Amino acid sequence: MGHCKQLRQWYARACQRWRQVDWPLQAYAAHVGSERPRFPVDLYLGGAAGDRLGSAWQTLEAELGPDVQRVLLRQATADFAVEDLWAETLTRMMEADPASPPLADGRHRARIHRYRGLVKLVNYLITIARRLAIQRSRRLTVQGPLLSVEEVPLADVRAATPDQLHHEHQMARRLETALTTAFGQLSAERRFLLVMVYAQGMSQKQAGAMLGWSESKSSRQLAAAIDWLRQTVVRQAGVEWTPALSAVWGAVWQSCWEGGEQTPATPPAAMAEGART
């Protein structure tokens, strides 16, 4: 009952804030579910845009676009002009999310539907834009494809036997599977922190600030998340921690974050789903 009352309060505030958007309470309630987002008013706008309401997209572009572009003026944008990067960000967020339940007309919801109100919507869009710029920069500068898990040099090939190499690559695949599973069991905040730092190249301080954390708390949370992941992966894979395994772990960890897009389990756009640790 308490959550229902709070949800109605959020809805009233959202309708007041985004006056041009007319999204039914029932749809908003279904989008929020049992979660308690830190920014429920922004979640309303993101959810309405996810449901492909034209008024939501117009509001998003008119009210958040200028703030996003002002921040991007101080960021590296590869070969994008700021206006083009913002347009590309909107285009990506409008793409159909095949994992989402279809709308009444049969269309899939827009990808922005994955935004869960963990951070302000404007910060979320800035992050997506930065991610696109980083990916663009890597495509412009990196020669050849990034390494896959199978290609990561786990051992000195000149010294290793075929059986040793086969064993290490098998172990890498087991650890990668266990890491993906364990990553999904972290809290949404820790997943967000890891993705921002390791996939997007953001500093601990910057990533933590987006969650409202101090630099010291961000550092503690990041260290705790990595330690928990390592212990959980070792337990799930059914192995003991040895120097040899440490080398394999290092290669798997690096390969999981290469390229920004190939992050374990979920991309930043779905950070609020899953269990908390």
Side-chain angles (χ1 to χ4, degrees), residues 36-50:
R36 297 183 180 275
R38 295 182 65 231
F39 298 93
V41 172
D42 283 4
L43 185 58
Y44 172 93
L45 181 59

Side-chain angles (χ1 to χ4, degrees), residues 192-256:
F192 182 88
L193 187 64
L194 284 164
V195 168
M196 291 300 98
V197 172
Y198 287 100
Q200 307 305 327
M202 190 178 290
S203 70
Q204 295 179 31
K205 181 178 181 180
Q206 290 174 318
M210 295 180 70
L211 293 169
W213 291 352
S214 66
E215 186 174 3
S216 61
K217 180 176 180 179
S218 301
S219 178
R220 291 195 304 271
Q221 289 289 330
L222 189 66
I226 295 172
D227 184 61
W228 185 88
L229 281 173
R230 182 176 65 81
Q231 293 184 38
T232 302
V233 165
V234 169
R235 185 175 65 253
Q236 290 180 352
V239 294
E240 293 184 3
W241 193 261
T242 63
L245 182 63
S246 177
V248 176
W249 163 266
V252 169
W253 178 265
Q254 179 181 357
S255 71
C256 281

